[in-house]
Amino acid sequence: MASVDTLIVSAPGATCAPELADGPWTFDLGTPGYGPGASMGDVIPTGSPRQGQLPVEYQQATGAQLHDRIRAAKDTLGDRVVILGHFYQRDEVVQHADFLGDSFQLANAAQTVPNAEAIVFCGVHFMAETADILAREGQAVILPNLAAGCSMADMADIDSVRECWEQLEALYGTEPDAEGRVPVIPVTYMNSSAALKGFCGEHGGIVCTSSNAATVLEWAFERGQRVLFFPDQHLGRNTAKAMGVPLEQMPMWNPHKPFGGNDAEALSDARVILWHGFCSVHKRFTVAQVEQARLDFPGVRVIVHPECPTAVVDAADEAGSTEYIRRAIAAATEPTTFAVGTEINMVNRLASEFPQHTIFCLDPVVCPCSTMYRIHPGYLAWVLEALVRGEVLNQISVPDDVAVPARVALERMLAAKPVI
Ligand code: 13P
Ligand code: SF4
């Protein structure tokens, strides 16, 4: 199967944003925003990192030239550099990754390469921050394009979460119950800023990824009467629902309204308070697409990511993290048809990796995560060649006052093994 890059260039009508074919540098200096793609309608917060202009030689190089330059720089650097790649990265980047994985695996990988001087993170900003927090002192973590953010992560900011926390403390107090459980435990999805991870570390909370969310919620319920879950409402709702928490006990917190738009009774009964955040890529999946897949391919196995809305998760056969999806397909012994509800780069790669199966994306429109897509091979070549010259570009450094408590919350998370 052709890489998503090739599809976008050769069949622009089949994509949600034909502009993606132009190369991310077209958007670097334009209007601040997430650029084309599923997150086009999301508002980028002021103060988000901006990427300067990529030198023209990298913009104009062909795919083959960039490939050779990346290879050559990597060969020269040897063990001094490690490239981490998320499953949603384009194939043209993934082929250079030393580790490919989901966000939990990549956070672990960042800790396993203490000898490397630099970790080049081909993923999004919150992942690079996490790697910096977990990496050895003195290691440089590099994000090849600073504009590779995550619109969902940006939906919860530290000031709004602090305001929410103050309101919850005013309502619930801070005293533990007879079993020693505090009124609320904050849980942040990995897809969040380092500041929110630090907040969780300071307030007895924890980080989760989509692969260990159930284990993390169990951890939180052992210590708290309820959970404040941010920023992804869908992961929080889908995970808690599967654990038996009724939907009525999961009010949503809208940061623009007093008490999140809830009355005191709903908040007293709450088990999980869900922040009003979502992923614009996974929000595209619908129950109608699941029904269509079942109609077109009787016997199809539908697997979706838990960032999808609950109705879609309910209509699917299974839901799980990107690594869960990969393992489920790898474990199928008989030729099977899989309809997958997650990012298109990963789905197409699985289709090439497992040709004995029929694997397709539930969404018929080619719509990559536009922020993951900011990591074009041109930026990877640029940062690697700079390292060869002894220059560190685009370093992500989390200040100690944030990194120290964030590390506490991340270490709690790393101890909570994924249920895969
Ligand atoms: P995973 O934790 O499954 O890698 O997902 C990360 C992500 O950003 C999904 O949109
Ligand atoms: Fe963020 Fe969604 Fe992209 Fe994942 S797929 S990085 S949650 S915007």
Side-chain angles (χ1 to χ4, degrees):
M1 182 168 293
S3 97
V4 171
D5 279 24
T6 320
L7 286 175
I8 286 174
V9 175
S10 62
T15 81
C16 65
E19 307 95 296
L20 286 172
D22 293 343
W25 45 85
T26 324
F27 320 111
D28 286 346
L29 302 177
T31 329
Y34 289 106
S39 54
M40 183 148 54
D42 298 338
V43 181
I44 195 162
T46 44
S48 295
R50 301 286 300 278
Q51 175 62 50
Q53 187 72 284
L54 179 71
V56 176
E57 61 170 301
Y58 297 100
Q59 296 180 27
Q60 290 178 347
T62 64
Q65 287 166 341
L66 290 173
H67 176 272
D68 291 348
R69 287 175 74 160
I70 293 168
R71 269 286 155 83
K74 248 196 112 189
D75 285 349
T76 308
L77 291 162
D79 294 345
R80 291 170 52 207
V81 69
V82 164
I83 301 181
L84 305 184
H86 188 267
F87 285 132
Y88 292 171
Q89 290 289 302
R90 51 178 98 208
D91 282 357
E92 290 76 1
V93 166
V94 159
Q95 61 188 313
H96 302 293
D98 298 298
F99 290 84
L100 176 66
D102 68 6
S103 53
F104 183 87
Q105 293 169 312
L106 295 178
N108 264 309
Q111 288 193 307
T112 60
V113 289
N115 296 331
E117 289 162 31
I119 297 174
V120 176
F121 210 119
C122 297
V124 288
H125 192 262
F126 69 81
M127 297 180 181
E129 279 190 330
T130 300
D132 180 57
I133 294 164
L134 295 173
R136 164 184 67 72
E137 182 79 34
Q139 273 179 314
V141 175
I142 292 168
L143 183 64
N145 183 337
L146 293 177
C150 165
S151 54
M152 176 221 277
D154 289 338
M155 287 175 191
D157 63 273
I158 185 68
D159 292 340
S160 310
V161 168
R162 282 211 178 103
E163 271 171 41
C164 165
W165 191 254
E166 277 169 23
Q167 293 179 54
L168 295 181
E169 275 193 347
L171 186 73
Y172 300 132
T174 52
E175 285 308 306
D177 65 8
E179 281 129 65
R181 293 175 313 158
V182 296
V184 198
I185 297 276
V187 176
T188 189
Y189 188 20
M190 177 70 109
N191 300 32
S192 60
S193 68
L196 293 187
K197 295 181 176 86
F199 177 91
C200 288
E202 274 167 0
H203 292 85
I206 184 167
V207 181
C208 76
T209 71
S210 55
S211 61
N212 65 4
T215 316
V216 165
L217 280 192
E218 272 164 25
W219 181 99
F221 284 133
E222 277 163 22
R223 291 158 178 81
Q225 297 157 44
R226 53 183 79 70
V227 162
L228 170 63
F229 192 97
F230 40 85
D232 186 21
Q233 56 171 294
H234 298 298
L235 177 66
R237 188 180 293 112
N238 290 325
T239 311
K241 181 170 179 274
M243 292 167 73
V245 179
L247 292 177
E248 311 77 75
Q249 290 189 310
M250 295 191 234
M252 187 126 76
W253 187 275
N254 179 337
H256 305 296
K257 296 187 176 169
F259 284 105
N262 299 288
D263 57 36
E265 198 190 339
L267 289 174
S268 310
D269 288 348
R271 300 292 321 284
V272 183
I273 301 160
L274 299 166
W275 198 262
H276 191 290
F278 54 84
C279 165
S280 298
V281 176
H282 289 89
K283 206 178 70 171
R284 290 177 59 86
F285 296 107
T286 62
V287 174
Q289 291 167 352
V290 177
E291 287 167 354
Q292 192 61 49
R294 295 205 192 282
L295 219 59
D296 294 344
F297 300 93
V300 65
R301 237 173 106 180
V302 182
I303 314 187
V304 300
H305 195 278
E307 286 176 13
C308 292
T310 299
V312 176
V313 169
D314 288 349
D317 298 304
E318 294 152 75
S321 70
T322 47
E323 174 62 9
Y324 173 93
I325 296 170
R326 207 194 63 79
R327 285 199 198 186
I329 291 174
T333 46
E334 294 301 314
T336 307
T337 302
F338 289 98
V340 182
T342 198
E343 210 266 354
I344 184 75
N345 278 291
M346 172 164 173
V347 180
N348 282 8
R349 192 170 314 113
L350 287 169
S352 320
E353 208 184 320
F354 299 101
Q356 69 275 33
H357 302 309
T358 302
I359 301 172
F360 62 93
C361 184
L362 262 183
D363 185 354
V365 177
V366 174
C367 198
C369 166
S370 64
T371 49
M372 287 274 181
Y373 210 64
R374 295 270 176 143
I375 311 289
H376 182 279
Y379 296 86
L380 182 55
W382 174 55
V383 297
L384 288 176
E385 290 186 346
L387 278 177
V388 171
R389 295 191 303 273
E391 259 179 79
V392 176
L393 300 174
N394 284 11
Q395 183 169 0
I396 303 297
S397 286
V398 180
D400 276 354
D401 60 329
V402 173
V404 171
R407 195 179 170 112
V408 171
L410 279 165
E411 279 172 353
R412 287 179 186 141
M413 178 203 82
L414 290 171
K417 293 288 173 242
V419 188
I420 293 185

